Structures are given as structure tokens and as C-alpha cells.
């Protein structure tokens, strides 16, 4: 049994979570009080809806973990699941998410996870007629 399956088996026993298919229809989700809290889209990661407020508050701690991926401005984070420590980290963050969602008023449905968002298509500016073309190199951070 891999780490994602261990995490799902443990979350199945939580009384305040309901399991089922996610809105994005890929993988398996757990929801509470109308909020999708965690999605398992693959066997090696889980997407967790923490809320932007919680992510901003916890960002210094989240960035210390090599198992967590945070996108700027997102309400969802990704937890890479490789070992039991990652499962425990995910379970702790699910607990934080449940508390966060219990404090949110008025209740709004959870925003779409990253799997629901269409991929942003890069826009390439068209050169002005008669303008000289310049080539600009861009450095991309590792992993992007």
C-alpha cells in the first residue's frame, strides 16, 4: 500500500469527512460541510484546500517542507506523498483545513482545484511592424 492509499484509509475513519469523487472528476476527494478539502489525483500527491488566509499565515512553515508545493495566490497546496512522515504532515494539515473551514463565514463553495483550472496559455507579443526583433533569455526556477 502506497502513502496516498494509507492517507485515504486513515481519512476514511474521520467522522467529519465524506469521501467521493471530486468536482474535477479525477481521482478521489474528501469533503466537509460543502467544502472539498483534499483531492488525491495520483498515487504520489494530494491537493489540499487550506484557504488563502491559512496559506498566508502558515507560509513560512510550509516553505520549510520539501513535501509541500505552494503556488502564489492559490487557496490549494500540493503535498507530495512518499513516506509515513508525509502522510502525517498531510493529516495535520487536513486538521488545520477543517478548522479553517469551520471558521469561514459565510460558507462559500470551495474554489476549483488546480486540476479544474485550464492551463494558462502563454501570450506571445506580436512585434510591431518595422520593429527590430530582440531575443530575451528567461531563467525559469527549477521544477517549472
Amino acid at each position: 500500500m502506497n502513502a496516498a492509499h494509507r492517507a485515504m484509509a486513515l481519512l476514511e475513519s474521520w467522522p467529519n469527512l465524506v469521501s467521493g469523487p471530486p468536482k474535477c472528476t479525477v481521482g478521489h476527494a474528501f469533503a466537509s460541510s460543502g467544502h472539498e478539502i483534499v483531492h488525491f489525483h495520483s498515487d504520489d500527491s494530494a491537493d489540499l484546500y487550506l484557504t488563502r488566509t491559512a496559506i498566508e499565515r502558515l507560509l513560512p512553515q510550509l516553505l520549510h517542507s520539501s513535501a509541500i508545493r505552494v503556488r502564489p495566490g492559490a487557496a490549494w497546496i500540493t503535498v507530495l506523498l512518499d513516506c509515513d512522515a508525509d502522510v502525517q504532515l498531510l493529516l495535520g494539515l487536513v486538521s488545520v483545513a477543517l478548522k479553517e473551514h469551520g471558521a469561514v463565514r459565510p460558507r462559500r463553495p470551495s474554489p476549483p482545484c488546480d486540476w479544474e483550472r485550464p492551463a494558462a496559455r502563454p501570450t506571445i507579443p506580436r512585434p510591431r511592424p518595422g520593429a527590430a526583433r530582440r531575443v530575451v533569455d528567461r531563467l525559469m526556477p527549477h521544477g517549472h
Side-chain angles (χ1 to χ4, degrees):
M1 180 183 286
N2 64 37
H5 288 113
R6 286 192 302 276
M8 284 189 274
L10 291 166
L11 290 171
E12 287 283 349
S13 68
W14 289 29
N16 48 352
L17 288 177
V18 177
S19 68
K23 289 179 190 175
C24 61
T25 71
V26 178
H28 194 80
F30 290 87
S32 177
S33 302
H35 292 286
E36 288 190 358
I37 303 294
V38 62
H39 292 185
F40 292 87
H41 296 296
S42 67
D43 287 342
D44 61 357
S45 68
D47 290 332
L48 179 66
Y49 176 38
L50 270 180
T51 73
R52 284 188 181 102
T53 305
I55 291 172
E56 288 172 9
R57 185 178 68 243
L58 299 172
L59 191 59
Q61 293 81 15
L62 295 173
L63 293 176
H64 283 290
S65 174
S66 62
I68 295 177
R69 301 295 182 261
V70 180
R71 290 187 179 98
W76 291 78
I77 65 168
T78 299
V79 180
L80 304 178
L81 301 170
D82 187 47
C83 61
D84 288 335
D86 298 337
V87 171
Q88 293 305 313
L89 174 63
L90 174 66
L91 295 177
L93 289 171
V94 168
S95 180
V96 170
L98 288 169
K99 289 178 184 172
E100 189 71 23
H101 296 299
V104 173
R105 299 283 189 250
R107 293 199 185 274
R108 288 175 274 159
S110 53
C113 72
D114 291 340
W115 280 69
E116 286 183 281
R117 293 186 191 138
R121 294 175 56 184
T123 57
I124 302 171
R126 295 182 181 196
R128 294 176 300 188
R133 289 182 61 135
R134 291 186 308 162
V135 176
V136 178
D137 290 331
R138 294 184 184 192
L139 296 176
M140 298 298 290
H142 180 70
H144 293 277

